[in-house]
């Protein structure tokens, strides 16, 4: 058994990744909410380990299970489309979905998110194509039809991220096939004569002309404008999620459904849930599993690239399909990552595809060469990097320690605001603990912008507006792009009796119109609490913002 576990590829980074998930669940403001994510993550890791050991010679069966699972999912989308409530982003998809689903009754048991469905179906397409490639005759035609049905399911989701991911994965697979052809015996590069030049030039000119006509078409222009607006909103989510990660740099906020509340309360400073997840795989891992999980994920990614990519061209089409499915998952994760909120099935699929790839790909055996000088240079570079790392950690140790204290303070504050079933006394005790840890951070590194931000946020929540202004003004120069700092500082000025200056700060926010509407709501909220003075400040600030815009 010892030898068996020792032969499992990527075991150490996988363990680190899983530990990050467990710790992330424990630090969440409500661990019960995160268990719905932890269970499939543990199940996926167990599937991977099983594929490396007891199921090592049954990979084809797992491939069939994943393929039929995705086929069934796509059939469900096609037959239930008109009941799912997907956004009508693409007219063709909407028309086809309604047409195919019109004869079928509503039997959908649960709500299905379009992005979650796309994140599951898109990586399965290369796997099914790999199955078709290995089959013959009628079986190949059947698998080809199955791949088409799953692609149709992706089309119905109208997920732009899935479309881009599949395009990138297809390009990568083309490069793999070209590399495989280049390694075949007798392969040679054809002569490039005048006839070939004319053909290639005509094809390129036709492609450019067709692309220009397509770009200038009115429907394409509308689609591009919509995509640009969507991209702007998505970039704002990335930026805000990054600053949210800096509030919880070591522990993260926990996986699953905890993101929505934390994002709204800590970054947007509102109560309603605005968005469910970070829409980026790397930010999602960091926020869900903390720095340990992120290190494990990056380690997995780098190690798998070093092991799998050099020999992928020599693998079977099924292995290549599984690897390309992983590529599609990764590319889709750059713009969307619902597996950290609404798509537990994608976690299982990801571990399955990765397991099939890792179990069959072997590292290349490089020839032994006399490279003593290179080895010596490598050793010197490693020592220089290590020394630089030690010096960097030493110089930044106070700020890292202060960030850790701020992380703990933010955790207590999150529980005080969001955990269910607590009494007011318990919430007040958690807020006092948060204040204690902020004071620890201030003693360690009083100039840390992260600890000053946490002090300002706590002071704002506790009604100490002068202290909030002082702390947030110290944090703002280094966190100028952090919308939470700008909004908190503007609100602190408003509640401290300077609504005009507060309005000037709030008017600079990305979504200033929404903040102005929020101030109108605060007028009634303060009046209900008997604070007519603060209600008047809110009304004056809203009027000042309207005059600015």
């Amino acid at each position: 058994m010892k030898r068996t576990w020792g032969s499992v590829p990527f075991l150490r980074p996988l363990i680190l990744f899983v530990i990050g998930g467990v710790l992330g669940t424990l630090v969440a403001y409500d661990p019960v909410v995160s268990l719905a994510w932890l269970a499939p993550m543990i199940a996926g890791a167990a599937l991977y380990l099983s594929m490396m050991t007891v199921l090592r010679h049954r990979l084809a069966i797992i491939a069939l299970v994943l393929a039929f699972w995705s086929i069934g999912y796509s059939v469900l989308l096609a037959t239930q489309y008109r009941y799912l409530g997907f956004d009508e982003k693409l007219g063709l998809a909407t028309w086809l979905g309604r047409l195919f689903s019109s004869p079928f009754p509503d039997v959908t048991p649960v709500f299905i998110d379009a992005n979650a469905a796309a994140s599951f179906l898109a990586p399965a397409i290369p796997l099914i194509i790999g199955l078709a490639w290995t089959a013959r005759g009628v079986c190949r035609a059947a698998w080809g039809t199955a791949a088409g049905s799953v692609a149709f399911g992706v089309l119905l989701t109208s997920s732009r991220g899935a479309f881009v991911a599949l395009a990138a994965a297809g390009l990568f697979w083309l490069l793999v096939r070209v590399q495989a052809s280049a390694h075949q015996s007798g392969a040679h590069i054809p002569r490039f004569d005048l006839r070939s030049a004319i053909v290639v030039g005509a094809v390129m000119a036709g492609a450019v002309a067709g692309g220009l006509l397509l770009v200038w078409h009115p429907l394409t222009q509308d689609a591009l404008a919509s995509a640009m607006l969507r991209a702007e909103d998505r970039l704002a989510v990335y930026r805000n999620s990054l600053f949210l990660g800096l509030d919880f740099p070591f522990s993260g906020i926990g996986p699953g459904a905890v993101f929505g509340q934390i994002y709204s309360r800590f970054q947007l400073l509102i109560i309603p849930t605005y968005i469910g997840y970070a829409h980026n795989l790397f930010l999602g891992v960091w926020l869900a599993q903390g720095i340990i999980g992120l290190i494990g994920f990056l380690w997995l990614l780098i190690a798998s690239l070093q092991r799998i990519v050099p020999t992928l061209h020599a693998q079977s089409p099924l292995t290549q399909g599984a690897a390309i499915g992983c590529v599609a998952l990764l590319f889709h994760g750059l713009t969307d990552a619902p597996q950290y909120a609404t798509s537990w099935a994608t976690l299982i699929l990801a571990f399955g595809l990765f397991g099939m790839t890792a179990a069959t790909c072997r590292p290349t055996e490089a020839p032994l060469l006399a490279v003593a000088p290179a080895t010596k240079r490598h050793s010197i570079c490693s020592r220089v990097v290590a020394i630089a790392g030690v010096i960097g950690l030493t110089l930044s140790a106070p700020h890292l320690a202060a960030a850790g204290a701020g992380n703990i303070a933010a955790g207590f504050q999150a529980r005080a605001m969001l955990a269910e079933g607590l009494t007011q006394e318990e919430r007040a005790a958690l807020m006092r603990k948060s204040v204690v840890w902020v004071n620890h951070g201030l003693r360690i590194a009083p100039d840390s912008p992260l600890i000053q931000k946490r002090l300002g946020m706590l002071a704002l929540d506790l009604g100490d507006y002068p202290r909030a202004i002082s702390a947030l003004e110290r944090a703002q120069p280094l966190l100028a792009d952090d919308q939470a700092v700008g909004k908190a500082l503007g609100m602190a000025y408003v509640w401290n009796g300077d609504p005009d200056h507060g309005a000037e700060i709030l008017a600079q926010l990305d979504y200033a119109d929404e903040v102005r509407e929020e101030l109108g709501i605060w007028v009634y909220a303060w009046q209900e609490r008997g604070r007519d003075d603060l209600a008047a400040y809110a009304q004056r600030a809203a009027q000042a913002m309207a005059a600015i815009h």
Side-chain angles (χ1 to χ4, degrees):
M1 182 63 68
K2 185 175 181 180
R3 290 183 59 189
T4 301
W5 287 115
S7 64
V8 173
F10 317 119
L11 182 60
R12 286 178 291 179
L14 177 66
I15 291 174
L16 204 62
F17 183 75
V18 173
I19 289 175
V22 175
L23 293 178
T25 301
L26 295 177
V27 302
Y29 70 83
D30 188 353
V32 176
V33 176
S34 296
L35 290 178
W37 176 90
L38 182 63
M41 197 273 283
I42 296 295
L47 173 63
Y48 175 84
L49 294 176
S50 299
M51 295 171 68
M52 298 300 106
T53 53
V54 296
L55 298 179
R56 196 179 192 92
H57 303 292
R58 300 290 186 271
L59 299 180
I61 296 177
I62 296 176
L64 291 174
V65 171
L66 295 178
F68 281 115
W69 189 6
S70 61
I71 294 168
Y73 202 158
S74 64
V75 170
L76 178 66
L77 294 187
T79 58
Q80 299 294 297
Y81 179 85
R82 62 195 180 106
Y83 309 109
L84 298 177
F86 287 175
D87 292 336
E88 298 181 5
K89 302 177 184 177
L90 189 62
L92 176 62
T94 302
W95 179 76
L96 289 174
R98 290 174 177 171
L99 176 65
F100 275 84
S101 61
S102 58
F104 300 95
D106 183 5
V107 296
T108 307
V110 293
F111 168 77
I112 297 178
D113 179 76
N115 288 328
S119 71
F120 177 76
L121 292 177
I125 295 176
L127 175 67
I128 299 175
I129 293 176
L131 287 169
W133 212 308
T134 58
R136 294 290 183 270
V138 177
C139 290
R140 171 172 287 190
W143 282 119
T145 303
S149 69
V150 178
F152 180 65
V154 175
L155 176 65
L156 294 181
T157 65
S158 300
S159 173
R160 302 182 185 96
F163 299 158
V164 173
L166 286 173
L171 178 60
F172 185 76
W173 203 345
L174 177 62
L175 295 175
V176 171
R177 300 305 303 172
V178 170
Q179 186 181 15
S181 300
H183 279 78
Q184 291 176 356
S185 59
H188 65 280
I189 300 176
R191 295 175 59 186
F192 193 77
D193 53 15
L194 180 60
R195 182 181 300 177
S196 300
I198 294 174
V199 171
V200 172
V203 171
M204 292 181 63
V208 171
L212 290 175
L213 289 175
L214 181 63
V215 167
W216 289 106
H217 193 277
L219 292 178
T220 305
Q221 290 287 309
D222 293 341
L224 289 175
S226 175
M228 290 299 294
L229 290 174
R230 185 75 171 176
E232 184 178 352
D233 291 340
R234 191 61 57 85
L235 290 174
V237 173
Y238 297 160
R239 179 200 59 206
N240 293 340
S241 297
L242 175 63
F243 283 112
L244 179 62
L246 293 176
D247 288 337
F248 302 82
F250 300 108
S251 69
I253 63 175
V258 301
F259 177 89
Q261 289 281 359
I262 292 284
Y263 183 83
S264 292
R265 298 296 288 271
F266 277 73
Q267 215 37 54
L268 303 181
L269 308 187
I270 58 176
I271 294 177
T273 300
Y274 175 73
I275 195 169
Y277 54 98
H279 287 274
N280 178 274
L281 186 57
F282 296 95
L283 288 171
V285 172
W286 182 24
L287 289 167
Q289 297 165 256
I291 193 66
I292 292 177
L294 181 60
I295 292 173
F297 178 72
L298 294 175
W299 189 358
L300 271 173
L301 181 60
I302 295 171
S304 61
L305 290 175
Q306 291 176 339
R307 177 187 176 102
I308 294 170
V309 171
T311 62
L312 187 58
H313 65 278
Q315 304 301 321
S316 68
L318 181 58
T319 301
Q320 291 178 355
I324 300 303
C326 294
V327 172
L329 266 170
L330 182 62
F331 271 97
H332 195 186
L334 297 178
T335 59
D336 210 353
Q339 60 267 39
Y340 280 86
T342 58
S343 183
W344 61 267
T346 305
L347 279 174
I348 304 293
L349 177 70
F351 278 107
L353 294 175
F354 186 59
M356 273 187 283
T357 308
T360 52
C361 286
R362 297 288 185 271
T364 56
E365 295 183 2
L368 296 177
L369 301 175
V371 289
T375 303
K376 186 176 181 179
R377 287 195 299 270
H378 179 74
S379 177
I380 293 174
C381 290
S382 299
R383 292 177 183 177
V384 171
V385 171
I387 293 172
V390 171
I391 294 175
L393 287 175
T394 302
L395 294 176
S396 60
H399 286 275
L400 290 175
N407 190 155
I408 297 173
F412 282 124
Q413 187 178 2
R415 288 195 60 200
M417 292 192 300
L418 300 172
E420 296 183 359
L422 299 181
T423 64
Q424 290 300 321
E425 291 76 11
E426 290 172 329
R427 297 186 191 278
L430 289 171
M431 290 295 283
R432 287 194 295 270
K433 290 181 180 179
S434 184
V435 171
V436 168
W437 278 101
V438 166
N439 289 331
H440 287 327
L442 289 171
R443 285 192 291 269
I444 297 171
D447 294 330
S448 168
L450 296 180
I451 203 68
Q452 289 293 339
K453 174 187 176 181
R454 184 56 35 218
L455 172 61
M457 294 296 184
L458 274 172
L460 182 65
D461 286 340
L462 295 173
D464 190 348
Y465 306 124
R467 178 168 293 185
I469 292 172
S470 175
L472 293 170
E473 283 187 336
R474 295 184 66 179
Q476 193 178 39
L478 291 177
L479 299 176
D481 293 328
D482 189 345
Q483 298 289 290
V485 172
K487 182 177 181 180
L489 180 59
M491 288 295 191
Y493 270 110
V494 172
W495 308 143
N496 197 47
D498 193 354
D500 292 326
H501 185 51
E504 293 177 1
I505 297 174
L506 295 175
Q508 299 174 13
L509 298 175
D510 290 346
Y511 299 100
D513 291 337
E514 287 83 349
V515 176
R516 179 168 54 84
E517 294 177 2
E518 183 183 338
L519 285 169
I521 298 174
W522 273 112
V523 174
Y524 301 103
W526 285 125
Q527 287 175 346
E528 291 178 355
R529 302 176 190 180
R531 294 298 304 269
D532 292 338
D533 55 336
L534 297 182
Y537 295 153
Q539 186 172 17
R540 172 58 188 167
Q543 293 171 348
M545 288 186 68
I548 293 173
H549 283 276

